[in-house]
Amino acid sequence: MDPALKPRLRRRSAFEYAAWVACGLLAVGILFSVTTNPNFKWGVVARYFTHETIIRGLLLTIFLTIASMVFGTLLGLALAIMRSSSIKPIAATAGAYITLFRGTPVLVQLIFWFNIAALYPNLTIGIPFTDIGTAIDINALMAPITAALIGLSLNEAAYMAEIIRGGFTAVGKGQIEAADSLGMSRATKMRKVIIPQAMPSIIPATGNQVIGMFKETSLVSVLGVAELLQSAQLIYARTYETIPLLIVASLWYLVMTLLLSYPQSLLEKRYSRSSATLPRKAKKVVLTQPEGIAR
């Protein structure tokens, strides 16, 4: 066996054993307190864990997560390409967008989009300097779930743009020069060279964003969207069992986060550049024919 492939042994110190004992005692104490405290009302938690209202809210949360990530990723890709453009106005526009949406809280953005009709009650889409156009009632269009999708997607696009741009910068300069020497257009170079090589840097970070987006959807409860947290709030507003219903919502967030973390860990192992892999040993080539040596 190659000595470089052997696992390294590390001696455990007395401090490490003491830390294990202390952490174990602390965990047992917390578990005992949580399970024996009647105020947690675990029977209520078990009764509402699979309640129809909770499951509906969970499905809506999953829908918001997937839709916001899809729209945010597509818009983020466009912003990353604009940000990397050599045309200054285009790059400056993308930079201003990223700065604005990353620099303001998501909750403020959600409330702003929900009340956008106060600024633009009617929006006309048509051909300039003509009478051809269609008026849109923004107040009727901007329903709570629409405002939630727009707010989450636009905010996520700013973060995905920086993640994708970071993946672009990870591509070696020699690869880009080689594509230029082959006469590739900018679109072909982006599609054939830059994006495929940037994916190992982009995919693990995108997995983190998906998990963050799943938890971030709880903010849309302020708009009245009946996602997971709002569904729990609607129930404990009637039953006054606030803590058990919050535990139900927290457990579902925890379960879904764990389910999303597993494929994320697989993607990180698959694509992470930090995982060092030793190259395989090259087989020895023996030339038996004298003419082969001459060649």
Side-chain angles (χ1 to χ4, degrees):
M1 183 178 182
D2 191 345
L5 299 178
K6 291 183 178 180
R8 296 185 178 182
L9 300 179
R10 183 178 61 86
R11 294 182 59 184
R12 300 182 184 274
S13 62
F15 178 78
E16 184 174 355
Y17 287 110
W20 274 109
V21 173
C23 292
L25 292 176
L26 179 62
V28 170
I30 294 175
L31 183 62
F32 178 79
S33 174
V34 169
T35 54
T36 57
N37 190 341
N39 295 324
F40 281 95
K41 300 181 180 178
W42 291 109
V44 177
V45 173
R47 185 168 73 250
Y48 284 106
F49 188 74
T50 56
H51 193 272
E52 181 183 358
T53 304
I54 297 294
I55 298 301
R56 269 201 313 266
L58 176 64
L59 295 177
L60 182 55
T61 297
I62 295 173
F63 167 75
L64 288 173
T65 302
I66 296 175
S68 300
M69 284 303 304
V70 170
F71 295 142
T73 302
L74 293 176
L75 182 56
L77 176 60
L79 287 170
I81 295 174
M82 293 172 61
R83 191 80 171 85
S84 304
S85 175
S86 57
I87 303 174
K88 296 298 182 182
I90 295 178
T93 302
Y97 177 97
I98 293 170
T99 302
L100 176 63
F101 282 89
R102 291 180 67 193
T104 53
V106 185
L107 183 58
V108 175
Q109 295 175 30
L110 291 171
I111 298 174
F112 176 83
W113 288 111
F114 185 63
N115 295 279
I116 192 66
L119 296 176
Y120 299 97
N122 292 292
L123 184 64
T124 302
I125 300 176
I127 301 175
F129 308 109
T130 65
D131 294 333
I132 302 175
T134 302
I136 300 175
D137 186 1
I138 299 298
N139 195 24
L141 176 65
M142 199 58 65
I145 191 168
T146 307
L149 278 174
I150 292 176
L152 292 175
S153 300
L154 293 180
N155 180 264
E156 185 62 29
Y159 289 92
M160 286 303 302
E162 289 298 282
I163 291 175
I164 295 172
R165 190 172 69 88
F168 288 170
T169 58
V171 179
K173 186 178 179 181
Q175 299 290 326
I176 300 176
E177 292 176 349
D180 292 335
S181 66
L182 292 174
M184 290 186 180
S185 64
R186 184 170 180 81
T188 304
K189 180 172 60 177
M190 184 69 66
R191 189 176 66 255
K192 297 291 187 180
V193 178
I194 298 178
I195 292 179
Q197 295 190 54
M199 292 305 287
S201 300
I202 294 173
I203 289 182
T206 304
N208 290 328
Q209 289 298 114
V210 173
I211 294 175
M213 175 60 70
F214 181 79
K215 295 180 290 185
E216 209 167 73
T217 54
S218 61
L219 295 175
V220 305
S221 61
V222 300
L223 306 181
V225 179
E227 43 74 58
L228 180 57
L229 179 59
Q230 179 71 6
S231 300
Q233 290 174 337
L234 291 175
I235 295 176
Y236 72 64
R238 301 192 310 265
T239 63
Y240 300 102
E241 295 171 328
T242 305
I243 298 300
L245 268 300
L246 290 178
I247 292 175
V248 169
S250 300
L251 288 176
W252 271 118
Y253 281 118
L254 180 61
V255 168
M256 294 304 299
T257 299
L258 292 175
L259 292 177
L260 291 173
S261 297
Y262 179 70
Q264 180 202 1
S265 63
L266 295 180
L267 288 174
E268 287 182 353
K269 291 179 182 179
R270 175 74 170 78
Y271 290 102
S272 179
R273 295 190 174 188
S274 61
S275 58
T277 55
L278 295 175
R280 296 180 179 178
K281 285 186 176 181
K283 295 182 179 180
K284 294 182 179 180
V285 179
V286 180
L287 297 178
T288 57
Q289 300 295 332
E291 59 269 20
I293 300 177
R295 293 194 191 99

